[in-house]
Amino acid sequence: MPVVVVESPAKAKTIEKYLGSDYRVLASFGHVRDLPPKDGSVDTDNDFDMKWEVAADSRKHLKAIKDALKDDQTLILATDPDREGEAISWHLLEALQPALKKGSAVSRVTFNAITKTAVTEAMAKPRQIDQPLVDAYLARRALDYLVGFKLSPVLWRKLPGAKSAGRVQSVCLRLIVDREMEIEAFKAREYWSVHARLATPGGDEYDATLVSLAGKKLDRFDLAAADQAAMALSAVASRDLKVASVAAKPASRNPWPPFMTSTLQQEASRKMGMGAKACMSAAQRLYEAGLITYMRTDGIDMAPEAVMAARDAIKAKFGEKYLPKSPRMYKNKAKNAQEAHECIRPTDMMASPDKAKITADDQRKLYDLIWKRTIASQMEAARMERTTVEIASPDDQVGLRATGQVMLFDGFLRVYDQGRDDDDGEDSARLPAITEGEAARLVANAFDDELAKARDKGGDVIAAPAGLQGGPGMLVSEAAQAAARQHFTQPPPRYTEATLVKRMEELGIGRPSTYASIVTTIQDREYVRKDKNRLIAEDKGRLVTIFLLKYFPRYVSYDFTADLENELDEISAGDRLWREVLSRFWKDFSKALEGTSELRITEVLEAIDDALAPHLYPPRADGGDPRVCPVCGQGRLNLKTARSGGAFIGCTNYPECRYTRPLSAPDGEAPIGDRVLGEDAGDQISLKTGRFGPYVQRGDATEEAPKPPRASIPKGWEVASLELDQAVQLLALPRPVGPHPEDGVLIEAGIGRFGPYVKHGSKYANIADVDEVFIIGMNRAVEVLAAKQTRGRGAAAAPLREMGDHPDGGPIQIMGGKYGPYVKWAKVNATLPRDVTPEDLTIEQALELIAAKAAKSPAKAKKPAAKKAAPKAAAKKPAAKKPAAKKTAAKKPAAKSDEG
């Protein structure tokens, strides 16, 4: 029977169900070949010849395919419908050539969704491998290899602590570093706004904002200080007002187009806090289950039959009035659009989230998002009425404006409204019925509550002139019918994964299939950390970026990277030759590499120090030299690197002066340097700073005691505000808690390299809070130690979840381990990926993880049933132990045939 090859076993299982017993469907488990991770895999002297190597864990999968081809030489390559999928098919064909006879039938099929209709239609329209797509992959892979294996060693040698560089990752990192520098260079600017609470003759209240003063339209910074705001506030509060005009204009909002990869990642981040990697993992499962179309795409167009199905679903679920007269058509606006694919949509429009059978929580939420966005994209527009009311004083010295809107018809908003990264300022307040020419009465005491809340929160009270009241950040008129609010301009926000992907897409950097891995890579390298969903550049990331900007500016240029992506697109369209693109790139890149061969580390640090000088050494308020050490007053500050790869600012008088501070020290941070905290038991207790951070010390080093008692400052403690009693407590650790009630062995509490702990003999147990080390009592200590023992190796841990039996026999279980949950089958233990929880793991995923782990450790991957055979043989001949061992060994060929 014909052999069909796809990437994953889950996909293989679904497709085999659709094709029936006439086909054999096998999985390649992703790429089967790659460039060996060593220098020379791309031969730049031999027309960029690439040396491929079959991965160790892929040999078993290739063998299974080769064995299947012995019965039928018809090979159908059905990998994903994108550049990467085409490359996997090409690799498979290259690796399987020795098993194929001359004239063997080899074809390529693609389908945008794993449904019976899509699969059967694709099988009826086979084609050959698209060589231009493969060429584009080869060029991309070679480029990434050359940058990674030629530029990374330069980083390792010239910049201590740096890990590696990447063609696209380094540009992505630059975006985050540039944003961080913008934030730190930002200077807040003060401005004020004035507001009034007004009432109609009928008593209905509404809010208005001052927009003109003394006959002049107010711009944002016209009221730049409290005294100007006070004058404007008095002008409003002292005048009679009336409605000058009322303008009501109809407005409409059209729905957003269906999802493509980048917009799906952005919306999943906004609405669900889901990272790009987790989003794509959940989408992959939905695709393999046949619930959505292919999830790596730049396209937003929808197949005509899908459009009609969406319209049918809208009519059935929401009625005719929500259905536009004609279908909505969307055209792709993305820069550098990849090979045209359909949008990401449900395969069955009638399968609403409440009807789709999805057990995993993240997949269910993501499917809900995709279904709603798709359905909404074909719905009627939302209709509303926007009203603008202009209010003025009779002398035209004061002008205010009130705005609001009324929803007339919700349209697509009944189903879906897109999340926002930042407030877009849209005013959705409701206004009462207001008539032109009517009086606008100021409402007394309208701002009393706001003023009281501001005062309760605390803060500096704004000094108020006569006739006004002051509060933190605001001024209020005497009768509290008007208020002025203080504002400060805000720095640009740090990137989230959503806004970073959006910015990369705008610049034409990367592609749908790469966004998730790029963002994950720069975090794994510790160049960037995520805090409250915001991406923050670490010192390592700053140094790498500045180094690359200094010595390889072209290769971290946004335009250059986007232009290179354009060239790769042209290769995939058959308009460029991939080797020519590589040749032109390598010619300039190799020269840039040669230019750094003579660089010394000290030169690099000096260059980076100079490049970062405006950021590292901002002007001082007293006008003094920002490079002079603030502790000793004699040494100069310069950039230093630590063994860990981080960087800091230190004094040139080290070790006499131990002043240090981080690169990104916040404004006003007290300098960290040696200082005496006080005396205890006749010893001087000092705070010092060493190469591994701040610490406290008892006494001074002498010939008799070259290493006096020391203790590192725990994470979370404020070094600048450290007091004597805290230092003494640290130096007294480990603290005796008391003898254990069972054996009398002393229990101690302390802080070690892995954090706070309690110790009983040679047994340690971690505790969560550093402060608990100083107060933990006997009952709590015994409880912590007992809990650790039940989790230890001595007790058989209960499975977190039973998955069922393996096809080869034996239970599959999810266990909790020291380094996180893992799948256990026989002797195979496979760690769960970070983005997969024990509750969400499917049996197909578990089998993939087990197979991948077993391929690396084949000795452990024996069937559990084979182990049971030995005792049976021994039972027949108790004395003949050796023959029994032979019989057990003789079962190995059977295991091999099962694998094949």
Side-chain angles (χ1 to χ4, degrees):
M1 60 184 74
V3 179
V4 181
V5 184
V6 296
E7 292 97 332
S8 76
K11 188 175 174 182
K13 186 177 179 181
T14 306
I15 291 172
E16 193 165 52
K17 180 177 67 177
Y18 295 145
L19 294 179
S21 58
D22 293 337
Y23 293 86
R24 182 164 185 189
V25 186
L26 298 172
S28 70
F29 290 80
H31 273 283
V32 294
R33 301 196 309 176
D34 200 2
L35 298 172
K38 60 184 180 182
D39 198 17
S41 293
V42 176
D43 191 347
T44 54
D45 295 326
N46 192 23
D47 204 16
F48 302 97
D49 182 49
M50 301 167 79
K51 299 174 177 63
W52 301 102
E53 180 180 83
V54 175
D57 54 356
S58 295
R59 290 171 191 154
K60 174 183 173 182
H61 310 311
L62 275 176
K63 182 181 183 304
I65 299 169
K66 289 177 181 177
D67 289 345
L69 288 171
K70 291 176 182 177
D71 300 326
D72 192 325
Q73 286 277 296
T74 304
L75 175 63
I76 302 170
L77 301 166
T79 51
D80 287 342
D82 61 0
R83 190 182 294 171
E84 203 70 16
E86 207 72 19
I88 292 174
S89 284
W90 177 79
H91 276 299
L92 281 165
L93 182 57
E94 292 285 308
L96 292 171
Q97 280 294 353
L100 292 170
K101 298 174 183 176
K102 190 175 181 180
S104 297
V106 179
S107 60
R108 170 89 167 103
V109 299
T110 59
F111 31 81
N112 195 48
I114 305 178
T115 62
K116 187 168 186 177
T117 301
V119 171
T120 52
E121 286 181 358
M123 296 295 285
K125 299 175 183 177
R127 62 171 173 82
Q128 296 303 303
I129 287 177
D130 188 330
Q131 193 57 45
L133 273 186
V134 175
D135 290 347
Y137 158 79
L138 293 173
R140 182 184 295 276
R141 187 68 192 89
L143 284 168
D144 291 343
Y145 170 88
L146 290 172
V147 172
F149 276 86
K150 300 297 182 181
L151 185 52
S152 294
V154 175
L155 274 177
W156 301 333
R157 291 193 299 267
K158 311 300 182 183
L159 193 62
K163 292 193 174 179
S164 56
R167 183 179 64 87
V168 182
Q169 292 96 324
S170 296
V171 182
C172 176
L173 174 62
R174 180 189 167 184
L175 278 171
I176 298 170
V177 171
D178 283 352
R179 177 58 57 88
E180 200 68 27
M181 302 283 273
E182 283 181 64
I183 292 168
E184 290 169 359
F186 177 81
K187 301 297 181 185
R189 189 173 174 184
E190 181 183 4
Y191 67 98
W192 288 74
S193 60
V194 178
H195 310 269
R197 179 73 50 78
L198 305 173
T200 65
D204 293 322
E205 297 181 4
Y206 58 99
D207 290 329
T209 301
L210 183 68
V211 293
S212 65
L213 184 65
K216 178 191 171 187
K217 180 183 176 183
L218 286 176
D219 289 328
R220 187 182 192 184
F221 297 106
D222 282 349
L223 303 180
D227 57 344
Q228 295 171 306
M231 291 176 60
L233 184 59
S234 298
V236 172
S238 63
R239 280 172 168 75
D240 294 328
L241 302 168
K242 71 174 184 178
V243 177
S245 67
V246 179
K249 295 181 180 179
S252 65
R253 280 178 62 187
N254 289 317
W256 287 272
F259 282 130
M260 55 182 174
T261 303
S262 59
T263 53
L264 176 63
Q265 291 176 5
Q266 290 165 40
E267 194 70 341
S269 175
R270 293 186 196 106
K271 289 193 170 178
M272 298 154 58
M274 186 181 280
K277 183 178 179 181
C279 171
M280 295 310 291
S281 176
Q284 177 82 36
R285 303 303 169 198
L286 291 173
Y287 167 67
E288 291 178 350
L291 292 167
I292 64 170
T293 53
Y294 192 57
M295 66 288 161
R296 293 189 179 93
T297 174
D298 275 342
I300 55 173
D301 63 311
M302 202 186 303
E305 61 272 19
V307 172
M308 298 314 295
R311 288 174 62 83
D312 290 342
I314 293 165
K315 184 177 178 180
K317 292 177 183 295
F318 306 107
E320 287 273 6
K321 66 178 182 178
Y322 285 93
L323 192 65
K325 291 182 180 178
S326 58
R328 293 185 179 276
M329 306 302 293
Y330 296 96
K331 291 185 178 179
N332 198 38
K333 294 181 181 179
K335 189 178 181 181
N336 292 343
Q338 197 182 325
E339 297 73 37
H341 294 141
E342 200 181 345
C343 64
I344 303 170
R345 61 167 178 83
T347 53
D348 181 1
M349 299 297 180
M350 298 302 289
S352 54
D354 57 317
K355 292 183 179 179
K357 296 178 181 179
I358 306 171
T359 55
D361 188 54
D362 59 340
Q363 294 175 40
R364 185 172 59 254
K365 289 179 180 177
L366 194 65
Y367 181 80
D368 179 77
L369 201 62
I370 294 168
W371 185 86
K372 287 179 177 177
R373 174 88 166 216
T374 307
I375 292 295
S377 72
Q378 288 299 324
M379 291 178 75
E380 189 62 86
R383 296 191 298 275
M384 58 206 70
E385 186 178 75
R386 289 190 178 134
T387 304
T388 303
V389 181
E390 302 289 350
I391 303 106
S393 61
D395 59 3
D396 288 329
Q397 290 297 295
V398 169
L400 297 98
R401 180 177 297 150
T403 59
Q405 70 178 22
V406 176
M407 184 70 69
L408 302 177
F409 174 63
D410 56 1
F412 75 94
L413 291 174
R414 178 169 175 181
V415 175
Y416 175 87
D417 191 8
Q418 179 171 287
R420 297 178 179 88
D421 296 313
D422 302 295
D423 184 12
D424 62 3
E426 184 178 28
D427 191 349
S428 59
R430 298 292 296 269
L431 291 175
I434 301 172
T435 306
E436 185 176 326
E438 71 179 26
R441 176 176 56 85
L442 287 161
V443 179
N445 307 116
F447 293 93
D448 282 344
D449 287 346
E450 184 180 344
L451 180 62
K453 287 179 181 177
R455 286 172 173 171
D456 288 344
K457 287 182 179 178
D460 296 332
V461 175
I462 303 294
L468 301 179
Q469 307 174 66
M474 70 183 302
L475 292 168
V476 178
S477 61
E478 191 170 24
Q481 73 273 58
R485 298 185 182 117
Q486 184 184 36
H487 309 276
F488 292 94
T489 53
Q490 297 297 311
R494 290 187 173 101
Y495 287 110
T496 62
E497 288 195 15
T499 54
L500 181 63
V501 167
K502 183 179 181 181
R503 185 61 181 144
M504 290 170 66
E505 182 186 28
E506 290 169 352
L507 293 169
I509 298 169
R511 284 297 176 267
S513 60
T514 64
Y515 292 140
S517 62
I518 290 168
V519 177
T520 301
T521 298
I522 57 177
Q523 291 179 70
D524 289 346
R525 289 176 180 168
E526 297 178 336
Y527 291 160
V528 169
R529 76 177 188 275
K530 189 194 285 190
D531 183 22
K532 296 178 182 176
N533 209 32
R534 297 281 174 176
L535 298 170
I536 303 171
E538 296 278 27
D539 290 345
K540 286 181 189 178
R542 290 172 187 257
L543 293 182
V544 167
T545 297
I546 299 302
F547 176 87
L548 295 175
L549 281 169
K550 178 72 178 175
Y551 298 106
F552 298 91
R554 185 183 185 197
Y555 303 98
V556 285
S557 159
Y558 302 138
D559 290 341
F560 174 79
T561 307
D563 289 343
L564 199 54
E565 292 288 359
N566 273 331
E567 292 186 10
L568 292 170
D569 288 341
E570 289 172 4
I571 293 170
S572 68
D575 297 331
R576 275 185 184 269
L577 298 176
W578 70 279
R579 294 182 193 273
E580 288 182 4
V581 171
L582 282 177
S583 179
R584 190 166 55 255
F585 171 87
W586 178 247
K587 181 180 179 182
D588 295 331
F589 186 60
S590 57
K591 288 180 181 177
L593 290 170
E594 290 171 7
T596 63
S597 60
E598 302 300 320
L599 277 177
R600 291 177 297 173
I601 292 175
T602 52
E603 289 180 73
V604 171
L605 290 179
E606 286 172 6
I608 295 175
D609 197 36
D610 289 341
L612 286 173
H615 158 68
L616 298 177
Y617 317 107
R620 288 183 176 169
D622 60 4
D625 185 350
R627 288 260 193 174
V628 173
C629 175
V631 172
C632 71
Q634 297 176 349
R636 290 185 62 77
L637 303 181
N638 61 12
L639 179 68
K640 298 176 181 291
T641 57
R643 282 185 178 180
S644 62
F648 60 93
I649 303 302
C651 178
T652 54
N653 271 353
Y654 178 85
E656 287 75 18
C657 177
R658 294 177 176 269
Y659 167 76
T660 64
R661 66 170 171 81
L663 259 64
S664 48
D667 290 341
E669 179 177 298
I672 301 170
D674 294 4
R675 61 186 173 97
V676 176
L677 298 174
E679 286 194 7
D680 177 70
D683 294 324
Q684 183 174 281
I685 308 298
S686 305
L687 171 67
K688 297 177 177 289
T689 303
R691 50 195 294 205
F692 300 111
Y695 64 93
V696 290
Q697 178 175 302
R698 179 180 289 276
D700 293 316
T702 62
E703 288 187 10
E704 295 79 17
K707 292 185 178 181
R710 294 174 178 174
S712 296
I713 307 301
K715 286 184 179 180
W717 282 27
E718 291 292 336
V719 177
S721 59
L722 190 76
E723 297 180 355
L724 175 64
D725 58 340
Q726 293 173 291
V728 172
Q729 282 184 314
L730 282 173
L731 289 163
L733 294 178
R735 179 179 73 88
V737 177
H740 195 288
E742 292 181 4
D743 58 13
V745 175
L746 181 66
I747 297 176
E748 295 178 316
I751 302 173
R753 59 183 298 195
F754 300 114
Y757 66 86
V758 286
K759 178 190 175 190
H760 172 227
S762 60
K763 297 175 183 177
Y764 289 80
N766 291 103
I767 52 180
D769 190 358
V770 168
D771 293 334
E772 194 176 4
V773 169
F774 306 104
I775 60 173
I776 191 167
M778 180 59 68
N779 290 340
R780 170 70 176 147
V782 170
E783 178 188 339
V784 171
L785 288 161
K788 171 66 181 295
Q789 188 172 357
T790 59
R791 295 193 303 268
R793 294 184 182 180
L800 300 177
R801 183 181 163 200
E802 296 281 358
M803 298 288 293
D805 287 338
H806 193 282
D808 288 343
I812 299 175
Q813 301 169 322
I814 302 181
M815 310 294 290
K818 180 179 179 181
Y819 303 106
Y822 61 93
V823 180
K824 179 177 179 61
W825 172 70
K827 291 185 178 180
V828 179
N829 296 331
T831 304
L832 264 63
R834 289 183 184 177
D835 57 343
V836 178
T837 63
E839 296 78 19
D840 294 343
L841 189 76
T842 64
I843 188 68
E844 291 83 5
Q845 289 174 277
L847 291 171
E848 284 186 47
L849 292 170
I850 290 167
K853 184 70 174 180
K856 294 178 181 177
S857 306
K860 293 184 178 181
K862 295 180 181 178
K863 293 183 186 180
K867 295 178 181 178
K868 295 177 183 178
K872 288 182 181 178
K876 290 179 183 178
K877 297 182 181 181
K881 293 181 181 178
K882 290 182 180 179
K886 288 180 182 177
K887 286 185 179 180
T888 305
K891 291 184 179 281
K892 287 183 180 178
K896 285 186 179 179
S897 64
D898 287 345
E899 287 177 5

